Amino acid sequence: MRAPLRSPPGAGDGGRHQVLFVLAEALPFAIALVVLVIEFSPAHVVYTGPLLVATPALAAVTMGPAGTLAAAGLALGVSIATATYNHAWGGQQVYTNFLALFLVSAASLMTSRAVRTRRDIELGQVRRIAEAAQEVLLRPVPARLGPVRAASMYLAAETGAQIGGDLYDAVQTRYGVRLIVGDVRGKGLPAVRAAAVVLGAFRESVHYERDLVEVVDHCGAALRRDAATASAGLAAGDDALLEGFVTALVAQIPDTLHVQVVNRGHPPPLLLHEGGVRPLMPTAPLPPLGLEEFISGPPGRTDSYPFAPGDRLLLHTDGVIEARDGDNAFFDLAAAAETLRDRTRQSFLEGLRQALLRHARGRLADDVAVVLVDRLG
């Protein structure tokens, strides 16, 4: 659960900052346009040389070397055009402006390259940290777990991100193989934090809680404790809270030929059995973690479904089934699973990844987590 967690300060700050950044990028070219208008009008007696000299320096603040070079080239072109139009060649002022423009452009280009190099180094460090965090938080599931073989896939919707708000894991315990797939409401670091809380609680409780419902309740309790800690740290009068939740599905595959499932508001898994594909719908739908106040009856129950040798179980998050194409149509996961059913696990997931990205035209609107489990004989 991520409810309630502190929201990022100023929900609209990101949009305003983006607008300001775009305006800052356009400023050097706007200045060159203003100079051009002044020099080609009766107001050309105004001395505009310092304005053109400043354009490469302004471009170096917000743009890379290519943008800085473009601003310098534009300033040079405007200087040549205005000097020709006003018959200013031969004057000392013109050549002084050209020299100043050359020096400022060279300095701005070197500064821009240095900033770009430093940013690339810092970005590389952040990516290495993200990869290390992924190894801890979203490690690939083991290929062999007791009576099953498994494989996993994760695709983050955030550009350049390694982890996001979806979660999964598979653990072999004395009660059988236990798996979890979940989806945190929201994105960004708060979602990653909530995912870490749920996974930590799951990895701890699966080894000593016999009842699968108790495992889910343990995850919900850990989430509530984390939310209370976050709320206690809010400043007085700070009402920047988000009503969040986590959809989660916990499954257990014992030695018997069944799979047991507790579903808390999560998309049902698909069972591939004897040439058919069907969702394992819960008999008593329950709200997600974090919305326990809406549970009026028993806290939950475990549903049991046949899971025979040769069957395949596909657990997923809603980022798969809610992916849309250009016509706003949802991705048909059941049809894709039926097409890929005879492939090996890794080939199945790779084919699913390609089909999903092809359907969404390479741009996912939400994170995607998939766990594929084959029952052995």
Side-chain angles (χ1 to χ4, degrees):
M1 182 191 69
R2 197 168 61 90
L5 293 180
R6 187 196 298 263
S7 67
D13 287 352
R16 289 194 295 270
H17 291 166
Q18 182 66 24
V19 171
L20 291 176
F21 186 80
V22 172
L23 292 176
E25 284 187 326
L27 182 59
F29 303 99
I31 290 175
L33 180 61
V34 169
V35 170
L36 196 63
V37 171
I38 292 175
E39 292 291 342
F40 280 81
S41 71
H44 66 85
V45 293
V46 177
Y47 183 42
T48 59
L51 293 176
L52 283 178
V53 171
T55 55
L58 292 173
V61 175
T62 56
M63 293 184 282
T68 304
L69 192 60
L74 178 61
L76 178 62
V78 171
S79 296
I80 294 175
T82 56
T84 302
Y85 180 79
N86 294 318
H87 307 287
W89 291 107
Q92 182 179 359
Q93 191 178 68
V94 171
Y95 298 108
T96 301
N97 287 341
F98 277 112
L99 178 61
L101 179 61
F102 172 77
L103 294 176
V104 172
S105 298
S108 301
L109 188 60
M110 289 187 292
T111 301
S112 180
R113 286 179 175 174
V115 170
R116 173 65 62 85
T117 301
R118 181 177 178 180
R119 189 186 66 176
D120 290 343
I121 293 174
E122 292 176 349
L123 182 59
Q125 292 174 341
V126 170
R127 285 176 175 170
R128 287 191 293 271
I129 293 173
E131 290 172 359
Q134 185 181 35
E135 289 294 325
V136 176
L137 184 60
L138 290 178
R139 56 199 180 205
V141 301
R144 176 69 183 265
L145 290 162
V148 302
R149 291 188 181 275
S152 60
M153 176 181 70
Y154 188 92
L155 300 174
E158 190 73 21
T159 304
Q162 298 288 333
I163 53 179
D166 287 7
L167 58 100
Y168 65 87
D169 202 0
V171 182
Q172 186 172 0
T173 72
R174 54 181 172 170
Y175 309 113
V177 178
R178 289 179 163 178
L179 308 99
I180 185 173
V181 173
D183 187 0
V184 182
R185 177 183 181 272
K187 299 180 183 296
L189 292 179
V192 175
R193 170 178 171 169
V197 170
V198 172
L199 284 175
F202 172 80
R203 290 165 180 169
E204 177 187 5
S205 61
V206 289
H207 292 287
Y208 65 81
E209 294 289 357
R210 179 181 297 274
D211 190 346
L212 206 58
V213 174
E214 292 295 330
V215 174
V216 178
D217 290 344
H218 189 81
C219 295
L223 229 39
R224 288 191 294 274
R225 289 193 300 269
D226 182 74
T229 301
S231 298
L234 292 177
D238 190 350
D239 58 354
L241 299 176
L242 288 177
E243 292 295 333
F245 54 83
V246 177
T247 66
L249 183 141
V250 178
Q252 176 174 287
I253 304 173
D255 292 334
T256 58
L257 301 183
H258 292 82
V259 58
Q260 300 163 345
V261 176
V262 176
N263 193 331
R264 293 290 297 272
H266 198 76
L270 297 182
L271 178 66
L272 284 71
H273 173 73
E274 294 183 352
V277 179
R278 71 181 181 96
L280 302 183
M281 303 297 297
T283 56
L286 292 171
L289 301 176
L291 301 178
E292 284 80 7
E293 63 269 22
F294 295 103
I295 301 178
S296 57
R301 59 168 295 175
T302 302
D303 296 321
S304 183
Y305 309 90
F307 191 41
D311 287 353
R312 175 169 280 179
L313 187 66
L314 180 63
L315 299 87
H316 60 90
T317 56
D318 60 6
V320 181
I321 57 177
E322 293 182 358
R324 299 172 183 261
D325 61 8
D327 298 326
N328 216 29
F330 291 113
F331 180 70
D332 192 342
L333 178 59
E338 176 65 27
T339 302
L340 302 168
R341 61 172 300 113
D342 294 328
R343 295 193 183 187
T344 63
R345 288 175 301 282
Q346 293 297 340
S347 178
F348 182 102
L349 292 180
E350 176 59 24
L352 180 61
R353 184 188 70 85
Q354 294 178 2
L356 184 63
L357 293 177
R358 184 167 54 249
H359 179 84
R361 297 185 176 182
R363 300 186 64 180
L364 296 174
D366 196 4
D367 299 334
V368 167
V370 178
V371 178
L372 188 63
V373 181
D374 288 346
R375 180 79 195 216
L376 301 178

